[in-house]
Amino acid sequence: MAPPRARFPGRGPRDGQDFMRIAAIDDREEERAGRGLFGISLPLRVAAAVIVVGGLAFVVRRPPSIAAVPVLHKTADIPAIVGTAPLRLTEPGIDPVRVEPGRIDPKSGLREDVLGRGSFAAIEAPVLRLAVTRGIGSERAPGLFVLTARRAALAGRGEAPLSVSRAMPRGVVATRFGPAEIAEATLTGGALTRACTAFVLTQPGLRIDGFLCGPLGSAAEPKSLACTLDALDFDDQSDPTASALFRQARARSACDGGGSAAADPAGKTGSIERRRSATKN
């Protein structure tokens, strides 16, 4: 006689069959779920790839922002710095003469060399700052007031920038380079104000401009300016034109002749009109 089958407590034959059926259903569901996940993920990955490629194409085709574009045209306005020119001042004086490195304007090609002597802050001593501009068209000066303001703003080494608060024309003065247009200019640097004589003279291919301040706050006299320009010398083999102009001017000393100022017959000194007092009828 066969032994009785072992039965799980609380489970009959039908319960065992139901359990096997449920397990088979679970296996089929997991298999179906796996196939479904793989089937859904592939289109999603394709769509994601399309979105990424489209975004990259948009970034490449989109023009860069204004802030990202380097501003290269501004560098074209910066003068080129070159070596110092053989510019000398043979006039005796306590303060040393300083010749700054030359500057070449990128637009006009004109070369500018600046010479200075004295300090604006030392009111007991004269101060000189002048520029020699060379090249074709350098004689076309923009006006004495503009030149003086530019020369005052471009401070020398160790000096603070200056400003022009007032300018009064004083006619012309004879120099060894020819007549120089002059004006009495009031220059200000910080709390200090000095009266100076601004000047400009031109010849074809040459311009000399600047200002000369006398000691103790007084403007330089026309003769002092003529003597200072008499002592200016330049000799450069690389610039025979300007060197020839300086050599020719050596024979015309204006310092010995008194260097007195003369009225401007046109009634104007450069860009500064003469102020005429109003008269009553």
Side-chain angles (χ1 to χ4, degrees):
M1 186 174 179
R5 294 182 179 181
R7 300 184 61 182
F8 293 97
R11 291 187 179 179
R14 184 177 298 276
D15 293 336
Q17 295 176 1
D18 292 341
F19 176 79
M20 297 298 293
R21 188 181 298 108
I22 291 173
I25 292 174
D26 291 342
D27 292 340
R28 287 196 297 272
E29 291 295 334
E30 289 179 2
E31 184 180 356
R32 189 181 301 112
R35 288 198 303 268
L37 179 60
F38 178 80
I40 294 173
S41 61
L42 181 60
L44 286 177
R45 283 183 291 178
V46 172
V50 171
I51 293 174
V52 171
V53 173
L56 291 176
F58 175 76
V59 171
V60 172
R61 295 178 59 186
R62 185 182 62 180
S65 61
I66 297 177
V69 178
V71 184
L72 299 178
H73 67 277
K74 288 188 176 181
T75 58
D77 299 334
I78 301 176
I81 306 299
V82 294
T84 56
L87 196 61
R88 298 178 297 276
L89 190 67
T90 59
E91 185 182 37
I94 299 176
D95 295 318
V97 176
R98 305 179 305 273
V99 179
E100 301 175 6
R103 299 156 59 94
I104 298 179
D105 189 292
K107 295 181 179 179
S108 62
L110 300 178
R111 170 165 179 159
E112 178 183 275
D113 296 283
V114 177
L115 179 146
R117 169 182 269 182
S119 174
F120 188 82
I123 196 170
E124 70 280 359
V127 57
L128 169 69
R129 187 165 178 83
L130 65 82
V132 177
T133 305
R134 296 173 280 154
I136 299 175
S138 57
E139 68 275 7
R140 294 191 289 269
L144 182 54
F145 182 84
V146 175
L147 289 172
T148 305
R150 182 187 301 170
R151 200 63 51 218
L154 296 175
R157 182 180 300 176
E159 294 287 316
L162 308 174
S163 60
V164 181
S165 58
R166 184 171 174 267
M168 288 288 293
R170 294 182 61 183
V172 294
V173 62
T175 72
R176 72 184 182 103
F177 298 97
E181 178 185 336
I182 62 174
E184 183 175 334
T186 302
L187 304 183
T188 303
L192 183 61
T193 297
R194 297 184 67 167
C196 307
T197 299
F199 62 91
V200 59
L201 59 90
T202 59
Q203 288 192 13
L206 178 68
R207 180 175 76 235
I208 303 175
D209 70 271
F211 58 84
L212 177 63
C213 309
L216 302 177
S218 61
E221 294 297 327
K223 182 176 180 179
S224 298
L225 176 61
C227 293
T228 298
L229 294 177
D230 258 13
L232 186 64
D233 195 15
F234 175 83
D235 190 5
D236 189 358
Q237 295 181 356
S238 63
D239 192 347
T241 302
S243 300
L245 291 175
F246 274 82
R247 283 195 302 268
Q248 294 169 5
R250 290 173 187 167
R252 301 189 297 267
S253 175
C255 182
D256 298 335
S260 58
D264 186 357
K268 292 184 179 181
T269 304
S271 59
I272 309 172
E273 293 190 8
R274 289 187 175 277
R275 295 183 180 179
R276 300 177 180 177
S277 58
T279 57
K280 295 182 180 180
N281 294 330

